[in-house]
Amino acid sequence: MLLSILFTSLIIAPFIEWAIHYELHLYKNEKHKNHHIKYYNNSTTVELYPVIILPILYYTEFYLICIGILQYWIVHTLIHFAPQFLPNIIVNHHIKHHNNPNICFAICNPYIDTLCGTNF
């Protein structure tokens, strides 16, 4: 089980996270666009959808998906509200994305953007 958790946290979840974030920009998702606007206005808020999704996933025993979403939620929240608790490379990577929304779509693991060619 530990290997499954590590594989999910380090390989699977980051690729899924990158793909979802990339798609949000590709299709110009309004909610995500609002996140960027709030960032520039210094009024970023904590995402609340995981509060609903995580208990459902846990109850239905989708533990690995639960771990991936929880990892994303914690890291993204810390980036915006307590960056001192994360390595600078992760924080700087996401801030780079906010400064140029066409690059750096990975949140938790910046190496994914290097593999996908979106880390300019």
Side-chain angles (χ1 to χ4, degrees):
M1 182 65 168
L2 180 59
L3 286 178
S4 296
I5 292 170
L6 286 173
F7 186 73
T8 298
S9 294
L10 298 175
I11 307 296
I12 301 298
F15 272 109
I16 292 171
E17 170 192 288
W18 178 92
I20 290 170
H21 194 188
Y22 182 82
E23 294 290 318
L24 290 172
H25 283 273
L26 185 65
Y27 295 108
K28 299 177 184 355
N29 178 275
E30 279 299 312
K31 280 195 173 278
H32 190 68
K33 182 179 176 183
N34 287 338
H35 168 67
H36 279 263
I37 291 169
K38 285 180 178 183
Y39 171 79
Y40 282 108
N41 293 331
N42 290 323
S43 61
T44 304
T45 56
V46 176
E47 296 168 295
L48 295 178
Y49 75 88
V51 173
I52 297 167
I53 293 174
L54 287 170
I56 294 168
L57 290 170
Y58 184 82
Y59 179 75
T60 55
E61 299 180 3
F62 286 100
Y63 302 125
L64 293 178
I65 297 171
C66 203
I67 289 168
I69 291 173
L70 187 60
Q71 173 182 312
Y72 158 79
W73 190 33
I74 290 169
V75 170
H76 191 245
T77 301
L78 288 175
I79 286 169
H80 287 288
F81 297 102
Q84 68 273 17
F85 294 112
L86 293 171
N88 285 337
I89 190 169
I90 292 174
V91 175
N92 293 338
H93 187 80
H94 189 65
I95 299 309
K96 187 176 174 184
H97 168 72
H98 275 285
N99 292 331
N100 182 351
N102 297 314
I103 61 171
C104 300
F105 298 99
I107 308 295
C108 298
N109 293 288
Y111 78 90
I112 298 297
D113 279 301
T114 302
L115 295 174
C116 295
T118 53
N119 189 20
F120 297 98

